[in-house]
């Protein structure tokens, strides 16, 4: 390998460091004319737009701009890294909070300042040799071509025992991506026969969990965490095992611990936001999504779709707030910032947002009309969009449409995305379906109660009020409540409380029933009688208070 033929790029905001590393590269064999320097990640991005570098040496910390980790992600996303090129991160901090994010990112190597030219040469040459040998495997991983990746692993393992651990790690990962968990388990077990690799232990726990051996997986991952509680790999894997076991709150705890150990992992923050949303913790979901936004300021993820998803998380939060006007105002402000020329391609997103705002503003007819139109067109192109639609259908009690949309949800999960994000999205679908199934079973039991107590109007009213509390937008339930309140009074309720229920029901009834349906049901007559009953109850309460 002739270093004189290689293009090198040094990225650092210190002129002294740039000069020092350039001199080191020249002394170890690089050609000075093939060495470029950049004082910021932005300048580095400009260099890589028209030059392909064999070696990139980049500092980790750049102050308020994107860091070396994010530059690496930018270059991978824009496919500006050579399959046999290397990216080396440099840092002057040796704390765990700095080193862990670097190791999680999996650069080709990293260096702690200060270092000498011999160390630099050794890291560069060893990394280049390894990357040259394994470049086809790295390319298969980048292209999500897992079958081809497995073939390359089989070809290389016999001739390059020095890279046994790396090849086996790729092989286990490819098999897991293909859901061949029994084969993956054997790969991890074989690796553990050769050494105590942490990735093999975590991979084995994952394989056991996916094979249904949940108790073994749980026991194994707990033992691993006990032995290395600061391992983000083990914390992440514990979260994955808990997701497979349907223990979502426990999974969130482990992901949060991993996030505390290694701040700045954007995929993990997004997964936590998704999982919090899946268990109806919208406030925590919003907080973690805002962490995700902060981490990705100025990166390729800082785009219009991130802003739209921020609006969605705000709206989920608004639905759980008693006084949500401030949140809705924030949503409207963010919408106003979307450029007019970009709105045409965002019609589905904006329509869903409009439906959500309409629901929160008690414009139920508008919300239902938008949701039904979107349902019929089925122009959803991303998971967050179809999930939002399905969530709103559930909230609006559009059960027939919900069943169809729920099936569509899983189809828009990008199977080649980050494993943590995929797992969180699958959990979102599963939890929403589980809650809806539980709700439908509960409604079935309430309807049985209503039929069995058909002559006991107070018991029937009580059942309908229970349904309305949980599902306030079922129009026939609202109609029956108003009819019953026109002739009987619920136990343990005051006039103001009953009046509020009547008003809530009236808002649903007058918007979701047609005029002909209202006339046929003689609704206005029942409504007036219910209001009159409230007035009489209020007068009686006042009279009793005066008498006392």
């Amino acid at each position: 390998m002739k270093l004189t033929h290689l293009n090198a790029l040094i990225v650092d905001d210190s002129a002294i460091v740039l000069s020092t590393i350039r001199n080191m590269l020249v002394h170890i064999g690089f050609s000075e004319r093939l060495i470029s320097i950049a004082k910021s990640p932005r300048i580095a991005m400009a260099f890589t737009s028209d030059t392909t570098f064999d070696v990139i040496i980049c500092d980790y910390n750049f102050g308020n701009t994107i860091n070396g980790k994010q530059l690496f992600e930018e270059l991978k996303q824009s496919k500006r890294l050579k399959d046999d090129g290397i990216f080396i991160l440099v840092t002057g901090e040796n704390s765990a909070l700095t080193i862990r994010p670097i190791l999680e990112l999996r650069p080709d190597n990293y260096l702690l300042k200060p270092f000498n030219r011999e160390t630099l040469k050794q890291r560069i040459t060893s990394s280049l040799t390894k990357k040259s040998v394994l470049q086809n495997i790295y390319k298969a991983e980048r292209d999500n071509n897992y079958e081809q990746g497995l073939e390359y692993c089989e070809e290389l393992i016999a001739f390059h025992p020095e890279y046994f651990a790396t090849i086996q790690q790729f092989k286990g990962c490819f098999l897991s991506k293909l859901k061949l968990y029994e084969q993956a388990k054997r790969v991890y077990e074989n690796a553990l026969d050769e050494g105590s690799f942490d990735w093999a232990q975590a991979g084995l726990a994952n394989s056991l969990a996916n094979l249904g051996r949940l108790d073994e997986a749980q026991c194994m991952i707990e033992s691993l965490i006990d032995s290395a509680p600061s391992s983000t790999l083990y914390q992440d894997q514990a979260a994955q095992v808990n997701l497979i076991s349907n223990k979502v709150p426990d999974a969130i705890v482990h992901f949060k611990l991993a996030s505390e150990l290694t701040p700045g992992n954007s995929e993990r923050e997004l997964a936590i936001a998704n999982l919090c949303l899946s268990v109806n913790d919208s406030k925590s979901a919003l907080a973690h999504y805002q962490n995700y936004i902060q981490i990705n300021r100025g990166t390729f993820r800082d785009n219009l779709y991130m802003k739209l998803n921020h609006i969605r998380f705000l709206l989920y939060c608004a639905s759980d707030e008693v006084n949500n006007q401030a949140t809705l105002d924030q949503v409207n402000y963010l919408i106003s910032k979307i450029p007019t020329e970009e709105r045409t391609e965002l019609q589905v997103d904006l329509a869903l947002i409009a439906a959500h705002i309409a629901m929160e503003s008690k414009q139920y007819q508008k919300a239902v009309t938008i949701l039904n139109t979107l349902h019929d067109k089925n122009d959803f192109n991303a998971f967050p969009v179809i999930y939002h639609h399905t969530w709103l259908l559930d909230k609006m009690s559009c059960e027939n449409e919900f069943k169809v949309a729920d099936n569509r949800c899983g189809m828009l999960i990008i199977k080649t995305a980050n494993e943590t994000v995929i797992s969180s999205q699958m959990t979102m679908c599963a939890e929403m379906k589980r809650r809806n199934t539980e709700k439908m079973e509960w409604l079935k039991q309430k309807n049985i109660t209503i039929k069995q107590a058909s002559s006991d109007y107070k018991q029937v009213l009580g059942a309908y009020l229970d349904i309305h509390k949980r599902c306030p937008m079922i129009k026939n339930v609202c109609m029956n409540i108003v009819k019953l309140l026109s002739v009987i009074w619920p136990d343990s309720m005051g006039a103001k409380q009953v009046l509020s229920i009547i008003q809530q029901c009236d808002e649903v009834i007058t918007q979701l029933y047609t005029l002909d349906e209202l006339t046929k049901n003689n609704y206005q007559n029942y409504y007036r009688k219910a209001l009159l009953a409230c007035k009489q109850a209020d007068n009686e309460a006042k009279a009793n208070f005066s008498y006392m």
Side-chain angles (χ1 to χ4, degrees):
M1 180 190 307
K2 292 187 177 181
L3 300 181
T4 54
H5 296 160
L6 302 182
N7 282 316
L9 173 64
I10 312 165
V11 192
D12 201 296
D13 55 2
S14 166
I16 295 174
V17 173
L18 287 171
S19 176
T20 301
I21 296 179
R22 179 168 57 182
N23 290 335
M24 283 184 178
L25 291 179
V26 171
H27 276 92
I28 65 178
F30 281 80
S31 170
E32 188 168 4
R33 66 182 180 82
L34 294 180
I35 300 172
S36 301
I37 60 173
K39 291 185 178 180
S40 74
R42 293 294 177 207
I43 296 174
M45 285 294 291
F47 273 128
T48 58
S49 64
D50 54 17
T51 303
T52 303
F53 292 96
D54 302 287
V55 177
I56 299 176
I57 301 170
C58 181
D59 192 29
Y60 181 79
N61 194 348
F62 287 88
N64 295 327
T65 185
I66 67 172
N67 59 33
K69 168 183 177 291
Q70 291 168 319
L71 174 61
F72 185 35
E73 291 177 325
E74 294 282 325
L75 295 175
K76 286 201 294 184
Q77 173 70 17
S78 56
K79 301 187 186 305
R80 297 185 187 184
L81 294 174
K82 292 182 64 176
D83 291 326
D84 59 349
I86 62 170
F87 189 99
I88 297 177
L89 273 170
V90 178
T91 179
E93 300 177 38
N94 62 0
S95 67
L97 284 177
T98 301
I99 300 302
R100 286 195 197 109
I102 292 175
L103 295 178
E104 269 195 347
L105 188 63
R106 289 172 55 205
D108 297 292
N109 225 312
Y110 75 96
L111 283 163
L112 290 174
K113 297 177 184 176
F115 53 86
N116 57 40
R117 71 176 69 154
E118 288 306 315
T119 300
L120 179 62
K121 182 177 182 179
Q122 188 275 326
R123 296 292 176 89
I124 290 174
T125 53
S126 64
S127 299
L128 283 169
T129 302
K130 180 179 180 181
K131 202 64 174 287
S132 177
V133 170
L134 304 181
Q135 63 176 296
N136 286 333
I137 296 179
Y138 283 102
K139 184 177 186 301
E141 180 194 38
R142 187 193 69 203
D143 296 339
N144 304 308
N145 192 344
Y146 308 128
E147 292 91 347
Q148 187 69 64
L150 286 171
E151 290 180 18
Y152 289 135
C153 288
E154 292 299 326
E155 290 173 11
L156 292 169
I157 192 68
F159 298 100
H160 293 281
E162 69 273 24
Y163 300 130
F164 168 84
T166 302
I167 295 172
Q168 291 295 85
Q169 188 173 2
F170 272 115
K171 189 175 180 181
C173 178
F174 292 151
L175 288 167
S176 297
K177 289 281 189 181
L178 293 168
K179 300 188 184 303
L180 300 173
Y181 298 115
E182 186 61 48
Q183 294 180 45
K185 181 176 79 71
R186 289 198 292 271
V187 167
Y188 293 128
E189 288 172 337
N190 290 338
L192 289 172
D193 287 340
E194 300 295 325
S196 183
F197 303 112
D198 57 355
W199 54 266
Q201 292 171 322
L204 179 56
N206 179 276
S207 298
L208 290 170
N210 278 291
L211 288 168
R213 296 162 63 175
L214 296 174
D215 290 341
E216 287 180 69
Q218 192 72 45
C219 183
M220 182 176 183
I221 200 66
E222 286 175 2
S223 175
L224 291 173
I225 288 176
D226 287 341
S227 66
S230 61
S231 167
T232 54
L233 175 63
Y234 293 159
Q235 294 291 351
D236 280 340
Q237 198 53 64
Q240 295 289 358
V241 169
N242 278 297
L243 288 180
I244 296 168
S245 305
N246 297 317
K247 298 175 181 177
V248 184
D250 291 342
I252 293 171
V253 169
H254 285 290
F255 276 138
K256 285 184 176 181
L257 285 170
S259 190
E260 290 171 8
L261 289 165
T262 311
N265 185 307
S266 60
E267 285 90 355
R268 190 183 291 120
E269 286 297 324
L270 177 58
I272 296 171
N274 287 342
L275 293 174
C276 288
L277 188 60
S278 78
V279 293
N280 289 328
D281 185 0
S282 60
K283 188 174 181 180
S284 294
L286 175 61
H288 282 280
Y289 194 79
Q290 289 173 335
N291 287 345
Y292 174 80
I293 291 172
Q294 189 60 40
I295 292 167
N296 289 297
R297 294 272 185 217
T299 73
F300 67 90
R301 297 186 182 95
D302 188 4
N303 54 30
L304 195 55
Y305 296 100
M306 186 170 81
K307 293 175 175 63
L308 286 168
N309 286 329
H310 185 202
I311 290 171
R312 272 188 262 273
F313 275 92
L314 283 165
L315 286 170
Y316 292 133
C317 209
S319 292
D320 290 336
E321 294 171 342
V322 177
N323 299 312
N324 61 12
Q325 192 54 54
T327 304
L328 293 177
D329 288 343
Q330 186 179 357
V331 166
N332 286 319
Y333 171 77
L334 292 174
I335 293 171
S336 72
K337 293 296 182 181
I338 298 174
T340 304
E341 63 273 14
E342 295 182 355
R343 295 190 179 207
T344 303
E345 61 186 63
L346 303 175
Q347 289 181 358
V348 174
D349 297 79
L350 295 175
L352 272 173
I353 290 167
H356 201 140
I357 292 172
M359 182 187 75
E360 296 302 329
S361 305
K362 300 181 181 179
Q363 300 174 26
Y364 303 127
Q365 181 58 59
K366 178 180 178 180
V368 169
T369 300
I370 294 172
L371 291 174
N372 285 338
T373 300
L374 292 173
H375 177 79
D376 293 339
K377 288 184 178 179
N378 189 23
D379 286 337
F380 308 104
N381 59 3
F383 176 82
V385 186
I386 185 61
Y387 181 85
H388 190 193
H389 180 245
T390 310
W391 187 93
L392 284 169
L393 289 171
D394 181 51
K395 201 80 170 176
M396 293 291 296
S397 295
C398 302
E399 300 302 339
N400 292 331
E401 292 81 2
F402 172 86
K403 290 176 183 176
V404 177
D406 181 56
N407 290 328
R408 291 172 178 169
C409 256
M411 297 168 63
L412 286 178
I413 296 176
I414 301 174
K415 304 301 182 184
T416 55
N418 175 272
E419 180 186 7
T420 304
V421 176
I422 293 172
S423 297
S424 70
Q425 291 178 342
M426 291 174 66
T427 301
M428 291 169 78
C429 290
E431 284 296 298
M432 183 158 57
K433 185 172 185 176
R434 181 194 61 76
R435 285 198 304 271
N436 184 264
T437 301
E438 181 186 277
K439 179 183 74 175
M440 296 307 293
E441 184 59 35
W442 180 83
L443 286 171
K444 181 180 177 181
Q445 293 302 316
K446 284 294 178 182
N447 284 324
I448 290 172
T449 299
I450 289 168
K451 287 180 181 178
Q452 291 175 343
S454 57
S455 59
D456 186 342
Y457 287 169
K458 281 204 171 185
Q459 190 175 350
V460 171
L461 175 60
Y464 276 128
L465 289 173
D466 286 343
I467 294 173
H468 181 258
K469 187 175 181 180
R470 183 169 181 176
C471 311
M473 289 173 235
I474 302 178
K475 64 180 185 179
N476 66 311
V477 169
C478 292
M479 178 66 77
N480 287 328
I481 287 173
V482 172
K483 286 181 177 180
L484 286 164
L485 287 174
S486 70
V487 293
I488 59 170
W489 190 261
D491 293 331
S492 305
M493 280 195 181
K496 287 185 178 180
Q497 189 177 1
V498 173
L499 179 61
S500 176
I501 292 170
I502 293 171
Q503 290 171 339
Q504 290 170 25
C505 289
D506 182 61
E507 286 170 337
V508 173
I509 292 166
T510 54
Q511 292 188 59
L512 300 186
Y513 277 103
T514 65
L515 288 174
D516 287 344
E517 289 171 333
L518 291 173
T519 301
K520 185 178 179 181
N521 277 282
N522 197 20
Y523 172 67
Q524 286 301 323
N525 183 46
Y526 288 117
Y527 179 64
R528 282 193 295 269
K529 287 183 177 179
L531 290 178
L532 181 60
C534 271
K535 187 176 181 179
Q536 290 173 344
D538 188 42
N539 289 337
E540 288 176 8
K542 288 177 180 178
N544 289 336
F545 181 77
S546 298
Y547 177 76
M548 292 172 63

